[in-house]
Amino acid sequence: MVPLTHYLALSFLLFVLGVVGVLARRNLLTVLMSIELMLNAVNLNLVAFSRQLGDLGGQIFTVFVIAVAAGEAAIGLAILISLYRLKGSVNLDEASEMKG
Amino acid sequence: MTPALIFFWILGAVVVIGAVGVIVMRQPVHSALFLLLSFVAVAGLFVLAHAEFLAAVQILVYAGGIMVLFLFTIMLVNIRRQAREPFLHRQAAVAILFGLAFYAVVGGLLVGEAKKLAALGAAGAADPGKLATVSIAGATVAGNSQAVGWALYRDYFLPFEVASVFLLVAMIGAVVLGKRTMEKVD
Amino acid sequence: MRATSLLPWILVFPLAGFLVNGFLYLISHSKLGGKDAPKGPHGSSDPAGGHGGHAHGAATQAAHQAAQAGHGHGGHGGHGGGHEPIPFAALHSLVGPVACGLSLLFALLAIGSWWAETHGHEGLVATLWTWVPMGENPTWFGAKVLSIDVALRLDALSALMLFFVTFVGTLIHVYSVGYMGHDPGYGRYFSYLNLFMFAMLTLVLGANLPILFVGWEGVGLCSYLLIGYFWDKDFAADAGKKAFVVNRIGDLGFMLGIFGCAALFGTTDFGAMFDAAVKNPGLYGAGGLMTAVAVALFIGACGKSAQIPLYVWLPDAMAGPTPVSALIHAATMVTAGVYMVARCNVFYRISHEWAAKTLGEGATFWGLLTHDAAFVVAVVGCATAFVAATMGLAQTDIKKVLAYSTVSQLGYMFLGCGVLAFAGGMFHVFTHAWFKACLFLGSGSVIHALGGEQEMTKMGGLRKLIPHTFVTMFVATLAIAGVPGLAGFFSKDAILAETFAAGHPVLWFFAVLTAGMTAFYMFRLMRMTFWGPFRGTQEQLHHVHESPASMTIPLWILAFGSLLVGWVGIPDFILGGENPFERFLEPAIPALPPDWTPHAHHMSLSTEWGLMGASVLVALTGIALAWRFFSGPYPFAVPERVATALPNLYRWVRNKYYVDEFYEKVFVEGLGKGFGRFLWEVDARVVDGVGVNGTGWLTLQISKISSWFDLTFVDGAVNGVADTLQAAWRGYRRVQTGRTENYALTMAAGVFGAVCLWIILR
């Protein structure tokens, strides 16, 4: 059997990678993808615990997370499209109207 | 080294490779493909964790829906032109450092807990059968999908409905946000 | 009627006269609008007493012009007045003398009533109201209540003064009607004269030192007003000021004396003071207190009665109208000092006895001078008599001669008081009033006859031209010279005898010499005025006329008085009886305890007769010399010979030893102006420089420091806070980059921090 800690370590690594991607990348699309990574990591975590405890609640929760992720991805990409139309690029550096 | 463990290590490696690929690839398309890879590997991990239904959902929604969405957007945005520009912020270094630190801290915590648990002699994983059976009106029905289905509609009905409303809202939002500004009809 | 109820009326009439005359004058002159340009003697007497004859012509011109300017009417050069009618002249002529006359009447009534009541043995006091009701006033000898009442006292001494002051005063008022009749300031003149009578009578009747002092000051004021009567003449105005200022110096001493009395006795009432002093002379005389008080009072008397060194005002006071000189500066005001000393005879006697007890046998001149107040009085009086007589020898202005003669005779009076012969001194006051007033009025008559001429060098041979004046003046001259049988003889002789008897041969000697000089210069005056050729102008000779009856009648009365009044003081050894005058004044000279009474100086009969003979001899010698020297067609041969033989001496005497010049240089210039300049310097440099400007400078410096402090610290603090905050903001501004990735990093860092916190805290 796979110990729980392995799953947790993996999911946490995935999560950190996702965070790094969010913080380091210029391109907004990549940032959104990194966010998806983070959500995946969370799913993995939930499922791992569900398996450990024998409780279906984890899996149910994961279903909802996936639903939310889908909705968020849709919205995020819609915003990106708007930003692209406004600025002509999806570079995060250029979206600095809030400067000062 | 049980077979489960081996599969775990392989699938885990794939996931990590995919993730790393996402964040280091210059081209967004490449990042998207790596992400897809990562998704599929995660689905495999789900199967390994006795969450077969979820695995299927993962493939369907993530790989089939979200990734397609991403690719469409990439196509719309026409990113190829920006290929020569730097793809990392100035703060990337800080971000990586931060990531390392984060992982170190929490990772250390995890290891510590694990050792404690091992010392305590905690029980192993629960019976996987629990995840795959559900009793309906006294009868027992086997299968993870059935179990998840019955749980969704029986115990977690309200969140289910809320989630559907949420999806509706997201859909409307996306449509509104994606609309071009109304132009005068002459 | 009781004497005490009559006394206030004596004062009321002159005061009423003053008010009525003054009021009439004011309303008449406000209507006319022009000031009355007084025309006195035509400026012929200048203060230096030098040759003034030249002023006659010029002054006439000035008088003409003044008259024309003032009244638009050419004045006659003669009597110094236009023929413009004087408003209310008749009323003034009536009110003035009548006020004085009523005063005389009530005085006589009061004296009569007093005599009937007390036979002269007591003093009667009429208290009018309480002036100063002070509380407990601790003296050196126990607490006593000092309060000053306005009270009038009638006793032997004040009755004597009252009589001749009112009598001679009335005569002079009548004389003034004739003399001042053409002067435009007629009303003013009489109001001042009445005011003077009021003040003099207050002085004489005062029952305590403060009331006496009120009168004292009042006569000083009237003296100023009347000396400066011809106010448009500079020398007259200056003379008035001089009189007042010199008088004031003496008043300082007087006031110190009054304070001393108040401190010693706790009261200033004559009766109370003298009773206390007589009962306990040792207590009051101890430590020289009495001497100090007596000397202080005497200083006041020096000022008022023109003794050395405060006599300088009297000759200058001749700038006033002649009746004023007669009344004030011969008969009444100047004798106030003698009166006061005589009134306070107890003090001088106690001082004398105390000095005798303290110094004992080894009494030196200086010792006596510092311990014995009476000795001080005698020495000053004798010196004044002698020096003034020498000055009188060389004067050529008729009034100046009489002025110095007055100073000299006053010295005699003080000499008398100084040897404790108070009766003798007062007797001389009494007789002097008669003959000196007669002499002054006579000289006024001469001046009037000559149309204002006062220089004897321009007179002469008037004997037959103004016979009344001549005869009366001659009688008065005999009296002053000390010819036996007339008034002056008895009084002067009394003083001389007493001086000798009291053991002061040196003083006696100088006094006798003075008597000789007195006779000499008086007869010189007579000779130069009435004998010899006339030395004036033809016009004057043409206008010479005897004075009107209003002037000659008082002259005759005074002449008779000079003849007769001496007999009331006949010495005891002549007729075998007691000296009636002395007996009369006895109650005013209370007896001291036996050990404080000097033993009576008893001189042998032969000594008495011898002394009398000596004084007569000297007097006759003086007369003879004057007669001889100033006879013939040219009376100036002798003075000229003296002048050429002893030019410096002659110059010094003629210029009155330059005393006035000395005073002017030292006191007026040096002390007065010099001190004034010094004070101005102090004010300008210290008060203005340091005080005002310095304070301003200091304030400026302090404000500079203050502003530095404000700028550096206060503003610095404010600016410092602002700068700090600005730096903080600048730093913080960098956080808001506007970049999404930065914000995301921040959020992640926050989460990380929370996780760490949770780990730490679990």
Side-chain angles (χ1 to χ4, degrees):
Chain A
M1 288 276 101
V2 182
L4 178 64
T5 50
H6 286 71
Y7 275 113
L8 293 183
L10 179 64
S11 86
F12 190 58
L13 178 63
L14 204 58
F15 186 79
V16 168
L17 287 167
V19 168
V20 171
V22 167
L23 296 178
R25 290 296 305 236
R26 250 175 218 257
N27 199 315
L28 191 55
L29 270 166
T30 319
V31 169
L32 285 168
M33 289 184 222
S34 307
I35 291 170
E36 294 305 321
L37 267 181
M38 284 156 71
L39 286 164
N40 260 337
V42 168
N43 286 342
L44 195 57
N45 201 335
L46 283 166
V47 162
F49 270 107
S50 165
R51 195 197 76 108
Q52 175 76 4
L53 298 171
D55 189 350
L56 263 176
Q59 290 189 14
I60 305 295
F61 204 70
T62 308
V63 170
F64 289 122
V65 171
I66 290 171
V68 167
E72 166 262 325
I75 301 285
L77 288 166
I79 291 172
L80 181 143
I81 297 290
S82 296
L83 189 68
Y84 180 72
R85 284 196 194 129
L86 189 68
K87 287 277 179 197
S89 96
V90 287
N91 218 327
L92 268 183
D93 286 344
E94 289 167 32
S96 61
E97 265 82 17
M98 294 280 281
K99 187 174 170 70
Chain B
M1 204 42 120
T2 56
L5 211 58
I6 295 169
F7 271 111
F8 173 78
W9 281 113
I10 295 168
L11 284 167
V14 174
V15 168
V16 171
I17 288 165
V20 170
V22 168
I23 65 179
V24 301
M25 282 295 136
R26 189 177 283 276
Q27 302 270 8
V29 174
H30 299 164
S31 297
L33 289 173
F34 271 98
L35 186 64
L36 185 63
L37 181 66
S38 182
F39 284 162
V40 169
V42 165
L45 279 171
F46 281 169
V47 167
L48 197 59
H50 302 290
E52 295 87 359
F53 178 67
L54 269 174
V57 168
Q58 168 93 347
I59 299 289
L60 278 170
V61 172
Y62 263 112
I66 293 174
M67 283 327 299
V68 171
L69 196 56
F70 266 109
L71 287 165
F72 265 115
T73 312
I74 291 167
M75 176 190 78
L76 279 171
V77 169
N78 216 351
I79 303 202
R80 204 170 284 267
R81 256 185 302 190
Q82 300 159 13
R84 282 299 120 201
E85 288 172 11
F87 66 97
L88 287 174
H89 293 305
R90 277 192 305 250
Q91 73 171 26
V94 177
I96 291 165
L97 274 169
F98 168 75
L100 284 171
F102 201 12
Y103 193 69
V105 167
V106 182
L109 176 70
L110 206 60
V111 167
E113 289 301 309
K115 285 211 176 93
K116 270 201 257 176
L117 270 174
L120 284 173
D127 174 27
K130 276 211 198 139
L131 296 170
T133 53
V134 64
S135 72
I136 304 164
T140 311
V141 177
N144 184 256
S145 303
Q146 287 88 334
V148 170
W150 275 107
L152 262 179
Y153 280 97
R154 205 165 42 178
D155 303 319
Y156 300 96
F157 189 64
L158 184 60
F160 181 76
E161 292 303 323
V162 169
S164 60
V165 172
F166 165 74
L167 285 169
L168 177 68
V169 169
M171 188 168 65
I172 295 171
V175 168
V176 168
L177 283 170
K179 220 161 63 147
R180 288 184 195 268
T181 47
M182 291 280 276
E183 307 211 16
K184 267 206 260 193
V185 180
D186 36 57
Chain C
M1 263 225 251
R2 288 214 60 194
T4 45
S5 48
L6 288 168
L7 285 176
W9 291 102
I10 302 174
L11 296 179
V12 163
F13 290 113
L15 186 64
F18 158 69
L19 290 171
V20 169
N21 278 318
F23 179 68
L24 289 175
Y25 176 77
L26 281 174
I27 57 172
S28 68
H29 279 262
S30 66
K31 266 195 258 170
L32 285 175
K35 51 182 185 168
D36 68 297
K39 293 151 196 51
H42 293 273
S44 57
S45 57
D46 63 281
H51 315 281
H54 71 281
H56 174 69
T60 321
Q61 295 291 332
H64 273 283
Q65 271 141 21
Q68 270 158 346
H71 304 285
H73 178 68
H76 215 287
H79 296 291
H83 297 300
E84 183 129 332
I86 296 164
F88 298 115
L91 260 179
H92 289 309
S93 308
L94 189 68
V95 172
V98 165
C100 199
L102 281 172
S103 191
L104 169 65
L105 177 68
F106 274 80
L108 292 172
L109 286 173
I111 293 171
S113 163
W114 165 74
W115 186 264
E117 207 175 305
T118 64
H119 290 286
H121 292 300
E122 291 167 28
L124 295 175
V125 177
T127 308
L128 298 176
W129 72 87
T130 304
W131 184 18
V132 179
M134 272 160 63
E136 290 288 307
N137 177 46
T139 67
W140 297 329
F141 307 103
K144 295 205 175 69
V145 180
L146 174 74
S147 73
I148 304 173
D149 298 333
V150 176
L152 304 172
R153 182 189 178 88
L154 187 61
D155 63 3
L157 197 56
S158 58
L160 171 73
M161 294 287 294
L162 181 67
F163 167 64
F164 80 77
V165 165
T166 47
F167 193 85
V168 175
T170 309
L171 289 176
I172 292 178
H173 275 73
V174 172
Y175 180 94
S176 300
V177 172
Y179 190 82
M180 300 293 289
H182 297 295
D183 190 285
Y186 195 53
R188 187 162 60 97
Y189 175 82
F190 267 113
S191 69
Y192 288 162
L193 213 63
N194 282 131
L195 183 65
F196 172 81
M197 287 306 297
F198 170 71
M200 187 69 203
L201 290 168
T202 308
L203 193 158
V204 162
L205 287 173
N208 51 52
L209 279 171
I211 299 298
L212 192 149
F213 192 62
V214 168
W216 189 275
E217 292 295 297
V219 298
L221 170 70
C222 292
S223 175
Y224 164 78
L225 290 170
L226 286 164
I227 294 171
Y229 177 75
F230 302 113
W231 46 260
D232 60 337
K233 303 271 184 298
D234 273 345
F235 66 83
D238 288 344
K241 276 186 272 180
K242 186 173 182 178
F244 198 82
V245 170
V246 174
N247 214 314
R248 218 61 182 115
I249 298 171
D251 288 349
L252 174 65
F254 196 162
M255 280 194 269
L256 290 175
I258 297 180
F259 299 153
C261 286
L264 265 185
F265 297 101
T267 173
T268 49
D269 180 78
F270 291 132
M273 278 200 298
F274 299 142
D275 281 343
V278 160
K279 281 198 186 72
N280 204 345
L283 178 63
Y284 293 105
L289 297 170
M290 203 85 261
T291 309
V293 169
V295 169
L297 291 170
F298 177 61
I299 293 173
C302 282
K304 186 64 75 181
S305 300
Q307 299 297 291
I308 288 173
L310 300 171
Y311 69 90
V312 291
W313 64 271
L314 194 67
D316 287 23
M318 297 299 117
T322 309
V324 168
S325 306
L327 180 62
I328 298 183
H329 307 125
T332 48
M333 187 181 95
V334 292
T335 57
V338 187
Y339 165 70
M340 189 264 288
V341 168
R343 173 65 83 190
C344 299
N345 59 74
V346 174
F347 297 160
Y348 294 95
R349 285 153 62 205
I350 291 176
S351 168
H352 175 81
E353 281 309 305
W354 174 77
K357 284 192 206 302
T358 315
L359 296 171
E361 291 305 315
T364 62
F365 176 77
W366 288 109
L368 277 175
L369 208 58
T370 49
H371 288 76
D372 188 352
F375 189 70
V376 172
V377 173
V379 167
V380 171
C382 186
T384 308
F386 185 75
V387 170
T390 60
M391 290 190 199
L393 293 174
Q395 297 301 313
T396 50
D397 182 328
I398 191 171
K399 283 177 75 173
K400 286 267 158 62
V401 176
L402 293 173
Y404 283 108
S405 170
T406 306
V407 176
S408 179
Q409 297 304 309
L410 287 168
Y412 256 108
M413 299 171 209
F414 280 111
L415 175 63
C417 293
V419 296
L420 304 181
F422 295 99
M426 284 311 294
F427 188 35
H428 199 55
V429 170
F430 184 59
T431 57
H432 175 266
W434 294 91
F435 55 70
K436 199 38 89 40
C438 184
L439 284 169
F440 264 110
L441 294 184
S443 72
S445 183
V446 168
I447 294 167
H448 176 90
L450 290 176
E453 182 60 66
Q454 288 183 229
E455 282 290 322
M456 295 191 295
T457 49
K458 299 272 189 318
M459 300 180 190
L462 297 172
R463 204 165 77 241
K464 303 226 169 34
L465 297 170
I466 39 175
H468 291 271
T469 312
F470 167 66
V471 173
T472 50
M473 278 194 79
F474 193 71
V475 170
T477 308
L478 287 176
I480 195 174
V483 168
L486 286 113
F489 167 70
F490 291 109
S491 54
K492 227 183 266 199
D493 190 69
I495 292 173
L496 288 172
E498 287 294 325
T499 309
F500 193 82
H504 298 291
V506 178
L507 292 178
W508 176 86
F509 177 70
F510 280 104
V512 169
L513 276 184
T514 308
M517 284 195 284
T518 308
F520 180 81
Y521 65 65
M522 285 314 300
F523 267 87
R524 164 178 175 266
L525 185 148
M526 292 302 287
R527 287 292 271 167
M528 284 173 79
T529 309
F530 293 106
W531 273 270
F534 182 70
R535 295 179 291 276
T537 68
Q538 274 301 106
E539 202 187 319
Q540 280 177 316
L541 195 56
H542 185 63
H543 278 110
V544 165
H545 58 280
E546 182 61 85
S547 309
S550 58
M551 286 165 69
T552 52
I553 290 176
L555 280 173
W556 278 110
I557 297 174
L558 288 169
F560 269 109
S562 310
L563 268 178
L564 300 172
V565 298
W567 292 96
V568 304
I570 219 169
D572 39 17
F573 65 88
I574 291 185
L575 291 182
E578 220 192 298
N579 184 339
F581 189 83
E582 216 173 293
R583 208 178 29 179
F584 174 73
L585 277 187
E586 227 172 13
I589 306 175
L592 288 171
D595 61 330
W596 282 83
T597 314
H599 42 259
H601 307 117
H602 221 73
M603 292 191 293
S604 65
L605 205 59
S606 55
T607 323
E608 296 247 23
W609 280 107
L611 290 172
M612 192 181 279
S615 67
V616 171
L617 189 66
V618 165
L620 290 174
T621 314
I623 294 172
L625 283 174
W627 199 267
R628 262 216 57 204
F629 288 166
F630 294 96
S631 62
Y634 188 66
F636 299 114
V638 171
E640 276 170 13
R641 259 192 286 152
V642 172
T644 41
L646 303 162
N648 282 331
L649 178 67
Y650 187 76
R651 191 169 49 87
W652 269 76
V653 175
R654 184 111 172 86
N655 286 300
K656 307 152 321 178
Y657 309 114
Y658 296 107
V659 171
D660 279 313
E661 287 76 6
F662 174 72
Y663 279 4
E664 173 81 20
K665 255 272 135 51
V666 172
F667 294 109
V668 178
E669 281 286 329
L671 235 52
K673 292 186 186 148
F675 192 56
R677 238 176 267 125
F678 169 71
L679 286 178
W680 182 87
E681 288 281 316
V682 167
D683 180 53
R685 285 192 212 291
V686 178
V687 177
D688 282 351
V690 174
V692 178
N693 296 343
T695 310
W697 176 86
L698 193 68
T699 308
L700 200 65
Q701 301 313 309
I702 290 174
S703 77
K704 278 201 193 133
I705 294 171
S706 183
S707 91
W708 168 82
F709 186 81
D710 180 51
L711 283 171
T712 313
F713 294 109
V714 179
D715 285 357
V718 172
N719 291 344
V721 168
D723 289 338
T724 311
L725 283 175
Q726 263 197 331
W729 298 329
R730 249 180 263 121
Y732 189 68
R733 225 165 148 228
R734 280 189 291 206
V735 176
Q736 294 202 326
T737 56
R739 297 190 188 196
T740 320
E741 61 267 24
N742 299 135
Y743 296 159
L745 183 60
T746 316
M747 279 196 284
V751 168
F752 181 43
V755 167
C756 290
L757 203 66
W758 177 79
I759 294 172
I760 292 167
L761 287 178
R762 62 189 276 275

